[in-house]
Amino acid sequence: MSDRVSLMSCSDASLADSRLTVRQSDNECNLETRFIIVGKACQNNRQLQKALINFKAPVLSSEDGLEYANSGDNTHYNIFVLDDFMGGTFHVLRDREVIGRMLGPTVIVACSEMNQALPKSSRPLYCQSMKDVIICFTGFKSKTQIAKLADLVHYMGGSIRKDLSSRVTHLVAKQTGGVKYNLAVSLGMPILIDDWIHKSWEQRDDVTFKATDDTMMTFKMSTFYNCCLTLLGFPLEELKEMHKLTVENGGTFEDNTESGCTHVVIEEHNIKMLPFDLHPSVKVVKSEWFWGSIQMEACAEENMYSFEQADSNPKVHTPSTNLLGVTPKTLSGSRNRKRKLLRENLAHLASEGEVDSPYFQMKRRSSEYFSSSSIFDHTLDTSVSLKDTPSKADAVLSTPVSQMSTVKVTPRQQVVMELLHTETNYVTILHTVLELFKKGIEDPEQRGGPLLDPMDVKDIFGTIPSIYAVHCKIREELEEIVSNWRDDRVVGNLIIQHAEMLMKAYPPFVNFFERTKATIDKCDKENARFHAFLMKCRSRPECGRQSLTELLIRPVQRLPSVSLLLNDVLKHTKKDYEDHILLNKANEVLKEVMKHINEDKRKTEGQVAMFDIVNDIDNCPPILLSSHRNFVTKVDCMEVTDTLSGKGDNVTLFLFSDIIEMCKRRSKGNFKSPAVSKTPQKAYKHIELMSLSSIKRVIDIQDTEECKNVFALVCRSPTMTKEVLFTFAVINEDFNKDDFLRLICKYMADSVCRTDYIIEVKENLLASMEAKDLDISLNDINNRSKVSRFSKRVSRAFSLKQTPRKLKRAMSSISQVVISPFVGDQSSNHSVTSGNTGIYDDTPVRRPSLRIATAEFSSDGSPMFHTKSRAPLSSSSTLPKNINNCL
């Protein structure tokens, strides 16, 4: 048998068998197992005594166990049980060559509870909190310290490896950096400090404790553990953020390098030379190192981000030498030299002011390479050419001087070259967005896994891959045109051939660009790794200090830019060229794509608005949501008549493409039911959903001093027997009532398939009338609306469903009213109303037809309630007599 020690199997039969097979000096012999309990602490451990019974082996007690270690008995396999693995007795027993081993009480109790055999281990074993844990050490200078840590790991059932490999599960490090540290980072291996081992040993008596529990991961080595950073060249706000992140990630920072600084982090865009000398041990890195470390939650390898200083003695170009350092020989006179110097300065200023792309870097102006007659004045930096999509632009734009100097570039060719230049820059930007940002976010192999959920990635990048694919094809075809240029070459087909792909790729991205920005902002605030990733990418030279949001706005701007360039090409294209017709057609195609984008954007915004409206309306009909319906506009009004909600009530009309949703607008100061505190009320309450086909006439009420911004709708739905008049007054004085009424008429005509709605508006749909013709007055709306609201409060207060305390409160408020429209006093038939004079008059008026509750008290003092309800609104409500004039 190859096993060194086989104490017991997992079966019940083996638990009862105390005959164990042991290999000793390569000779197999059968020994009887017995437990030696050392020390009073273990002898008094009741949990241990109970666990030992399950093993059905002899149990002996001893003060130090030495009598059994020195007995020379070769017939028993002794298992010494100790609770102190640090005392003198433990070390004496460990050093004696005895047949047996030493266990702690925790491992015996754990195996007994799980009905398992004792583990096969030749080393002393106290517990199994580090079972299956394989540890490697790095950064420790003291071998004694490593030996002590290794013993603790063995006592807890773990293993030690000298070399780091994929079999190692944890790296225990003393400092960041080093070969083992960097390899562990690349493997995604947990890196912990030595306190993890000490804390685990403190929990050795806990049977359920595991050193790999999530609670123990607080001992992971922080990103900047024992690092002291000095930050140079950063803006103030960014510097404050970096200082905060440094402390949060276990590091410190200093303003100078004389206080134990370990790293100097340079903003390479602002600092080209180190302002002071440094100790050779100090590592000088770029800002990308800082953000990369935050992203992967470990100190990044400094060699990958080392800062390289610029040449301290750059070559200065003077007017007497060109780029190659050769003195020009063709200049005649100081005037020519001044003119050439002026051209060179202007070209240099133009190159420095180039903002078309963060990737475009001017090498030198063409006037330094070519003759003065050449206007092909820029080249592309081949250092940023695409790896996956090799461009011919470099070959096109690097024609030998001897050839280019004899070729005159026409204005049409120059514009096409500019189109190629911008298209190449645009494709490079898209390539960077996909390769640097999208792949970096989705990379499952990076430390910590993908940065974002797949849904967030989809919201951010959308159809960028499709846009990139179509523009790669356009760029390739444009390169072929420029490389084989003739002045009659066809350019318009570039857009015409790819119109369908442009139509499919652009609208989804442009329409949801606001959601893209919102998703980036949300993830940036909530996800520290994603924030660090964005900052790291921003410091990369291919991003040109531009954020992801700034790069993603380029597709939104690209099509209008292409349209302008095509117009410039068209201006320099002769009318007898075939391309003249094609360029016009290409412009029409681009306009159609942009029009489609705008229409889709409006539809998308309308659908999003519909969801918001439905969520804000209490008891909203579910049929309001429909794929063929679009939200148009809304208007806040006050009801003038009493046919919908109540005269003077605040209502809101939501106009859709085929219906009008009429809602009561709740104000914040309204009395609310007791349940409101638990369930917040929505802003609107559904009243009526009216189809536009049910609106027979829109009436524009002519403005007067007393009646302004009033309009009416004459409606008759299939469920109504007569026409009903709804009259509203617009609250917002800046609202254009005429435009709103014409919008209603337009969609009314669409709902009944009338294409000539302008004629229909003038003749049939829209009418203009005076307020007196429809018995409309706004004079008494304010008072009546107050009375209506107060009466509803009183009615609700006197409801039998209310608690007695609320009843007393309501009655108390009524008793304080001096003049009330609800007092049944027949001696007075007057009512408060506001006339033209704004004072009380004696004209009797009809009382509001509201639900009124009154109370009388019986002889025992208990209240008796009497209620009167208004008649419900029916479809046969009587219209004013003059309404027939407009029907």
Side-chain angles (χ1 to χ4, degrees):
M1 299 179 66
S2 61
D3 294 334
R4 182 175 299 175
V5 178
S6 179
L7 288 180
M8 295 181 183
S9 65
C10 295
S11 64
D12 294 337
S14 63
L15 282 175
D17 186 9
S18 62
R19 307 293 296 176
L20 304 178
T21 303
V22 181
R23 172 173 291 183
Q24 183 180 11
S25 302
D26 297 329
N27 295 320
E28 296 183 4
C29 58
N30 294 328
L31 302 176
E32 183 180 0
T33 299
R34 63 183 180 182
F35 292 94
I36 312 298
I37 309 302
V38 180
K40 292 183 178 180
C42 287
Q43 296 170 9
N44 297 330
N45 189 333
R46 294 183 178 180
Q47 191 178 13
L48 174 62
Q49 299 294 336
K50 184 178 178 181
L52 289 172
I53 296 175
N54 295 332
F55 293 97
K56 297 180 181 181
V59 178
L60 305 176
S61 299
S62 174
E63 290 295 329
D64 53 14
L66 296 178
E67 64 269 26
Y68 298 101
N70 299 328
S71 64
D73 184 6
N74 296 327
T75 61
H76 292 87
Y77 186 86
N78 299 319
I79 298 179
F80 296 92
V81 183
L82 302 88
D83 66 338
D84 184 8
F85 273 33
M86 299 296 172
T89 301
F90 169 79
H91 291 291
V92 171
L93 292 174
R94 187 182 65 174
D95 295 338
R96 296 289 177 92
E97 295 182 0
V98 298
I99 302 175
R101 53 199 171 109
M102 289 175 285
L103 297 178
T106 306
V107 66
I108 296 176
V109 172
C111 291
S112 176
E113 290 180 353
M114 294 184 292
N115 198 26
Q116 293 180 354
L118 293 175
K120 303 172 184 179
S121 174
S122 60
R123 296 190 181 96
L125 182 65
Y126 194 97
C127 61
Q128 288 186 293
S129 59
M130 283 194 175
K131 183 180 179 181
D132 299 327
V133 172
I134 303 176
I135 294 176
C136 184
F137 294 97
T138 184
F140 292 87
K141 297 180 180 180
S142 172
K143 292 183 178 181
T144 304
Q145 185 180 10
I146 294 179
K148 291 181 179 180
L149 293 174
D151 285 341
L152 294 180
V153 172
H154 288 147
Y155 297 160
M156 292 183 285
S159 301
I160 305 295
R161 295 290 183 273
K162 180 180 179 181
D163 298 323
L164 186 69
S165 64
S166 59
R167 296 185 59 186
V168 175
T169 59
H170 297 76
L171 177 69
V172 176
K174 193 65 176 178
Q175 60 187 16
T176 61
V179 177
K180 291 183 179 179
Y181 181 92
N182 294 330
L183 180 57
V185 171
S186 63
L187 294 175
M189 186 182 299
I191 304 174
L192 302 105
I193 57 178
D194 55 350
D195 290 345
W196 171 59
I197 297 177
H198 293 296
K199 189 66 176 179
S200 298
W201 179 247
E202 292 177 5
Q203 303 292 326
R204 61 187 179 275
D205 293 322
D206 186 353
V207 178
T208 61
F209 172 77
K210 296 294 181 183
T212 55
D213 290 343
D214 292 339
T215 55
M216 298 300 293
M217 291 301 102
T218 55
F219 293 97
K220 275 188 174 182
M221 178 170 282
S222 55
T223 303
F224 301 125
Y225 182 77
N226 285 343
C227 294
C228 181
L229 310 183
T230 297
L231 310 175
L232 300 178
F234 295 93
L236 181 60
E237 291 299 322
E238 189 173 348
L239 188 64
K240 291 180 179 179
E241 180 186 6
M242 295 177 73
H243 282 166
K244 178 182 177 183
L245 290 174
T246 300
V247 175
E248 290 177 354
N249 287 272
T252 58
F253 60 88
E254 294 290 344
D255 294 335
N256 55 70
T257 60
E258 299 177 357
S259 303
C261 174
T262 60
H263 294 77
V264 175
V265 186
I266 302 291
E267 171 49 77
E268 63 273 19
H269 294 88
N270 297 332
I271 294 182
K272 302 302 180 182
M273 296 286 296
L274 283 174
F276 41 72
D277 295 330
L278 296 172
H279 191 274
S281 63
V282 178
K283 300 177 177 63
V284 184
V285 292
K286 298 183 291 186
S287 59
E288 190 178 348
W289 170 85
F290 179 89
W291 296 112
S293 300
I294 299 291
Q295 175 198 338
M296 61 184 183
E297 298 177 339
C299 186
E301 188 174 356
E302 292 84 359
N303 293 337
M304 298 176 59
Y305 305 97
S306 59
F307 173 75
E308 297 180 359
Q309 301 190 60
D311 188 3
S312 58
N313 297 313
K315 183 177 180 180
V316 180
H317 298 284
T318 62
S320 60
T321 60
N322 59 15
L323 184 66
L324 302 176
V326 180
T327 304
K329 298 180 181 180
T330 58
L331 301 180
S332 57
S334 60
R335 181 176 298 180
N336 290 338
R337 287 195 298 269
K338 291 181 180 179
R339 288 178 179 177
K340 182 169 183 179
L341 178 60
L342 177 61
R343 288 196 302 269
E344 291 177 350
N345 292 336
L346 292 177
H348 180 67
L349 290 174
S351 66
E352 289 184 344
E354 187 72 51
V355 294
D356 175 69
S357 169
Y359 311 98
F360 179 74
Q361 300 177 5
M362 300 294 289
K363 292 181 178 179
R364 291 294 292 172
R365 298 299 293 183
S366 58
S367 58
E368 299 183 25
Y369 290 101
F370 315 132
S371 65
S372 59
S373 62
S374 174
I375 59 174
F376 181 54
D377 58 356
H378 56 266
T379 61
L380 291 177
D381 187 356
T382 57
S383 63
V384 296
S385 61
L386 305 184
K387 296 181 181 179
D388 298 337
T389 55
S391 172
K392 299 178 182 178
D394 297 331
V396 173
L397 301 179
S398 59
T399 306
V401 177
S402 60
Q403 297 180 20
M404 290 297 297
S405 59
T406 60
V407 178
K408 181 178 181 180
V409 179
T410 63
R412 172 177 161 84
Q413 182 181 3
Q414 183 185 12
V415 179
V416 174
M417 287 179 176
E418 183 180 356
L419 179 61
L420 172 60
H421 165 60
T422 59
E423 187 69 17
T424 302
N425 289 339
Y426 179 60
V427 171
T428 307
I429 292 174
L430 297 180
H431 181 267
T432 300
V433 169
L434 293 177
E435 293 296 318
L436 180 63
F437 286 94
K438 188 173 185 292
K439 283 190 176 181
I441 292 172
E442 295 177 324
D443 183 13
E445 301 297 330
Q446 63 182 309
R447 185 178 178 86
L451 298 176
L452 299 178
D453 294 332
M455 290 303 299
D456 290 332
V457 175
K458 185 177 180 181
D459 286 343
I460 291 175
F461 297 99
T463 58
I464 288 292
S466 300
I467 296 175
Y468 173 67
V470 64
H471 279 278
C472 280
K473 294 180 180 179
I474 293 176
R475 186 203 60 188
E476 291 173 0
E477 295 175 9
L478 194 57
E479 288 171 351
E480 192 279 329
I481 292 175
V482 173
S483 61
N484 300 287
W485 177 255
R486 298 190 313 273
D487 213 44
D488 59 348
R489 286 298 301 268
V490 174
V491 179
N493 272 337
L494 289 174
I495 303 300
I496 299 173
Q497 292 175 356
H498 302 288
E500 184 177 355
M501 295 180 64
L502 294 172
M503 189 75 74
K504 291 180 180 179
Y506 270 95
F509 181 82
V510 176
N511 293 340
F512 292 96
F513 182 68
E514 293 300 323
R515 189 171 72 179
T516 297
K517 293 196 299 183
T519 303
I520 294 175
D521 293 340
K522 177 181 72 70
C523 295
D524 189 16
K525 294 176 181 178
E526 298 176 356
N527 191 328
R529 290 180 62 212
F530 181 67
H531 173 73
F533 172 77
L534 293 181
M535 296 300 293
K536 182 187 76 171
C537 292
R538 186 181 178 185
S539 64
R540 295 283 293 271
E542 54 263 47
C543 290
R545 298 293 295 172
Q546 294 195 27
S547 65
L548 177 59
T549 303
E550 292 171 332
L551 295 177
L552 284 176
I553 202 174
R554 295 305 181 94
V556 180
Q557 304 168 339
R558 182 55 185 165
L559 291 185
S561 175
V562 173
S563 180
L564 293 175
L565 288 172
L566 289 182
N567 283 330
D568 289 343
V569 177
L570 182 62
K571 292 178 182 178
H572 300 289
T573 302
K574 297 180 180 180
K575 293 184 178 180
D576 57 346
Y577 283 0
E578 178 188 1
D579 200 26
H580 193 277
I581 299 176
L582 295 176
L583 285 171
N584 281 313
K585 188 175 180 180
N587 266 322
E588 293 298 325
V589 168
L590 280 180
K591 290 179 181 178
E592 187 65 26
V593 174
M594 290 186 284
K595 180 181 177 182
H596 185 69
I597 291 174
N598 293 334
E599 291 178 355
D600 280 1
K601 186 174 179 64
R602 283 192 291 269
K603 289 181 181 179
T604 301
E605 291 174 348
Q607 290 172 353
V608 172
M610 284 181 63
F611 281 100
D612 294 338
I613 291 170
V614 170
N615 292 331
D616 288 341
I617 300 176
D618 194 10
N619 297 327
C620 180
I623 61 173
L624 181 62
L625 281 177
S626 178
S627 59
H628 71 275
R629 182 172 295 131
N630 298 319
F631 172 68
V632 180
T633 187
K634 76 168 186 176
V635 58
D636 293 331
C637 309
M638 180 176 60
E639 187 179 3
V640 177
T641 56
D642 198 16
T643 55
L644 186 64
S645 173
K647 192 169 186 178
D649 283 356
N650 292 323
V651 296
T652 298
L653 306 183
F654 293 96
L655 175 62
F656 295 87
S657 55
D658 59 339
I659 58 174
I660 289 184
E661 168 65 16
M662 302 179 182
C663 303
K664 182 176 180 180
R665 190 170 65 258
R666 287 167 171 162
S667 60
K668 296 181 180 180
N670 282 351
F671 282 82
K672 299 177 181 178
S673 65
V676 172
S677 59
K678 299 180 180 179
T679 306
Q681 282 187 328
K682 296 184 178 182
Y684 304 97
K685 182 180 180 181
H686 168 72
I687 301 177
E688 187 72 32
L689 186 64
M690 184 68 63
S691 172
L692 293 183
S693 60
S694 300
I695 301 178
K696 304 306 177 183
R697 185 65 65 90
V698 179
I699 302 175
D700 182 10
I701 308 299
Q702 299 175 6
D703 290 348
T704 61
E705 290 293 333
E706 296 81 13
C707 186
K708 292 183 178 180
N709 284 336
V710 180
F711 66 93
L713 304 176
V714 181
C715 304
R716 182 176 181 178
S717 67
T719 59
M720 297 178 181
T721 58
K722 292 184 179 180
E723 290 77 8
V724 179
L725 180 68
F726 299 108
T727 310
F728 308 96
V730 179
I731 294 177
N732 188 1
E733 296 182 356
D734 297 332
F735 187 82
N736 194 319
K737 181 186 70 173
D738 294 337
D739 290 346
F740 176 70
L741 298 183
R742 290 186 177 276
L743 270 178
I744 296 178
C745 294
K746 176 184 182 302
Y747 288 102
M748 284 172 58
D750 292 343
S751 64
V752 293
C753 299
R754 295 176 181 175
T755 56
D756 53 345
Y757 83 94
I758 297 179
I759 299 177
E760 292 290 339
V761 167
K762 294 181 179 179
E763 297 181 357
N764 299 320
L765 299 180
L766 183 62
S768 178
M769 299 185 66
E770 295 183 0
K772 62 181 181 179
D773 294 336
L774 300 177
D775 295 334
I776 296 175
S777 176
L778 301 182
N779 293 330
D780 61 341
I781 284 184
N782 292 331
N783 288 337
R784 294 192 65 176
S785 62
K786 293 178 181 178
V787 169
S788 174
R789 288 193 295 270
F790 188 75
S791 64
K792 291 179 182 178
R793 298 173 193 168
V794 174
S795 177
R796 184 164 56 248
F798 275 88
S799 171
L800 288 176
K801 296 181 181 180
Q802 300 294 330
T803 62
R805 187 174 66 177
K806 292 185 178 294
L807 174 64
K808 293 179 182 180
R809 188 185 305 156
M811 294 178 59
S812 175
S813 63
I814 292 177
S815 64
Q816 298 176 5
V817 178
V818 180
I819 300 176
S820 174
F822 309 107
V823 179
D825 186 2
Q826 301 297 331
S827 62
S828 176
N829 199 25
H830 302 298
S831 176
V832 181
T833 182
S834 60
N836 295 334
T837 58
I839 58 174
Y840 298 104
D841 61 18
D842 295 330
T843 305
V845 297
R846 183 178 62 185
R847 295 181 182 275
S849 57
L850 303 168
R851 187 174 187 271
I852 303 173
T854 59
E856 297 178 0
F857 293 89
S858 60
S859 59
D860 60 354
S862 60
M864 297 184 298
F865 300 97
H866 307 280
T867 61
K868 295 182 181 181
S869 301
R870 70 173 186 180
L873 176 64
S874 66
S875 59
S876 60
S877 301
T878 304
L879 292 174
K881 297 180 181 180
N882 294 335
I883 193 64
N884 294 325
N885 297 333
C886 66
L887 294 178

